[in-house]
Amino acid sequence: MSGPVLVPARPGGARALRALLTAEARLFLREPGADFWIFVFPSLLVAILGLVPAFRERGEGAVKTRLTHVYAKLGVSDRAAAVAVGYDRGILGPGGTDRSAG
């Protein structure tokens, strides 16, 4: 069985689509630096930021702040109470596994 076949909605639709794609390609190629800023720069930026140790490691304060926010959302004050709430709400399964990971 083959995949879906795209059929133009009206006569001449394929020609109009081809004209649109051609015009878009011309506009894209009009800017010589577009390739760099669209394809190269984001990857280069992520690679450079990955080399900075401060961006690779989480500070202890960030982890504590995150846990505080999670505890507040659950309405608890410690880890044991958070686990109990997780079991009660069906978020956690036996052995601490996540049931929603399906």
Side-chain angles (χ1 to χ4, degrees), residues 1-26:
M1 186 170 183
S2 65
V5 177
L6 298 176
V7 179
R10 58 179 181 245
R15 233 180 335 214
L17 179 62
R18 190 175 309 120
L20 174 69
L21 292 175
T22 302
E24 288 292 332
R26 285 183 186 153

Side-chain angles (χ1 to χ4, degrees), residues 74 76 79-94 96-99:
L74 292 174
V76 298
R79 186 178 61 162
V83 171
V85 169
Y87 279 121
D88 291 343
R89 294 185 185 176
I91 299 169
L92 296 175
T97 59
D98 181 3
R99 286 196 207 166

